[in-house]
Amino acid sequence: MMILFTVLTFIIYRLAKLVYSKFAVAVFHPLLLAPILLILLIKGVNVSANQYLDATKWLTHLLGPATVAFAVPIYKHLPTIKKYIGTIMISVTTGTLVAIFSTFALSKMIHLKSDFLTSILPRSITTPIAIEVSKEIGGLPTLTTVFVIITGVMGGVMGPSVIKWLSIKTPIAKGLALGMAAHGAGTNKAMEYGEQEATFSSLAMIFAAWITLLWGVLLIPALIHMKPLF
């Protein structure tokens, strides 16, 4: 069963990527389409979610080496990173604040329930860290995962159009924008631009996660418990 579901998962992911490359429509993004096809598959063959997860758990274990592999291009571009480290930190810190405050403001405008609010606030960082922040502030990790995926997909799909519209030319700016706005999905998109864009996208994703962990302790609880101004 382990080999069968691993192979099927790989085939479905490649199929989803093929469909997205043909049509380039948001609803066909691999991060959305592949899970839907997998749910239909395990429902169709009457296999529980736990059985599927157990059969494919070694794929999950590959996330660790894949994450560590981000260090390779970062090391290659270390001189450039050192040169622009101040700009990078200011850009990413500003990005995390904009993400949190804009999400908070929009959630309040539409009167989102408190458990939804605490679950959506860490939506702009990579899933493992977003889950930890969500737990820290009283959110629902499963719901947070959904918001993180939606953010990544939307950022990955809309990012290139925004970059083109704003006439962003430099690889550093493109990478930082994609990594900050759409974490892993944005970095995946940045790889299509080039190695330097992917490097700075990875860097933005990592720094955004660290900084948001800090905001999860210092800023977000204060926002949640803030009394309405009007």
Side-chain angles (χ1 to χ4, degrees):
M1 183 162 302
M2 185 176 74
I3 295 174
L4 175 64
F5 276 109
T6 299
V7 172
L8 285 174
T9 301
F10 177 76
I11 292 172
I12 286 174
Y13 177 70
R14 294 302 302 177
L15 180 65
K17 287 203 75 168
L18 180 66
V19 171
Y20 184 67
S21 68
K22 294 283 185 188
F23 299 101
V25 179
V27 293
F28 291 144
H29 194 286
L31 284 178
L32 280 179
L33 185 58
I36 291 171
L37 294 175
L38 282 170
I39 291 169
L40 292 174
L41 172 71
I42 63 175
K43 288 287 286 182
V45 297
N46 200 26
V47 171
S48 70
N50 287 334
Q51 284 176 305
Y52 170 78
L53 288 172
D54 190 53
T56 57
K57 60 184 178 185
W58 76 273
L59 283 174
T60 307
H61 295 327
L62 289 176
L63 281 173
T67 304
V68 173
F70 283 132
V72 177
I74 289 174
Y75 180 75
K76 284 176 67 177
H77 294 279
L78 204 53
T80 311
I81 292 169
K82 285 180 179 176
K83 185 178 178 182
Y84 294 105
I85 189 64
T87 306
I88 293 168
M89 292 306 298
I90 292 171
S91 302
V92 176
T93 303
T94 304
T96 58
L97 289 172
V98 169
I100 291 170
F101 278 110
S102 62
T103 303
F104 180 79
L106 287 171
S107 300
K108 285 294 184 183
M109 281 175 63
I110 61 174
H111 304 291
L112 216 56
K113 290 181 179 177
S114 60
D115 50 353
F116 274 70
L117 173 64
T118 49
S119 302
I120 198 173
L121 282 175
R123 65 176 177 80
S124 291
I125 54 175
T126 187
T127 307
I129 308 298
I131 288 173
E132 292 306 314
V133 175
S134 178
K135 289 177 184 173
E136 181 73 29
I137 61 178
L140 303 172
T142 307
L143 204 53
T144 298
T145 303
V146 174
F147 289 133
V148 169
I149 292 173
I150 292 172
T151 300
V153 171
M154 295 302 292
V157 171
M158 297 172 64
S161 300
V162 174
I163 286 171
K164 188 177 179 182
W165 184 60
L166 294 176
S167 300
I168 297 174
K169 303 292 184 188
T170 68
I172 297 175
K174 288 179 185 174
L176 290 177
L178 286 168
M180 181 60 242
H183 39 82
T187 302
N188 184 47
K189 180 59 69 177
M191 289 177 181
E192 296 177 13
Y193 284 99
E195 186 179 274
Q196 206 170 16
E197 287 87 345
T199 299
F200 284 93
S201 182
S202 304
L203 211 57
M205 184 175 67
I206 294 166
F207 284 157
W210 288 348
I211 295 167
T212 305
L213 271 174
L214 192 65
W215 295 145
V217 177
L218 299 177
L219 174 65
I220 295 177
L223 270 179
I224 293 171
H225 296 107
M226 186 176 68
K227 291 182 179 179
L229 296 175
F230 304 100

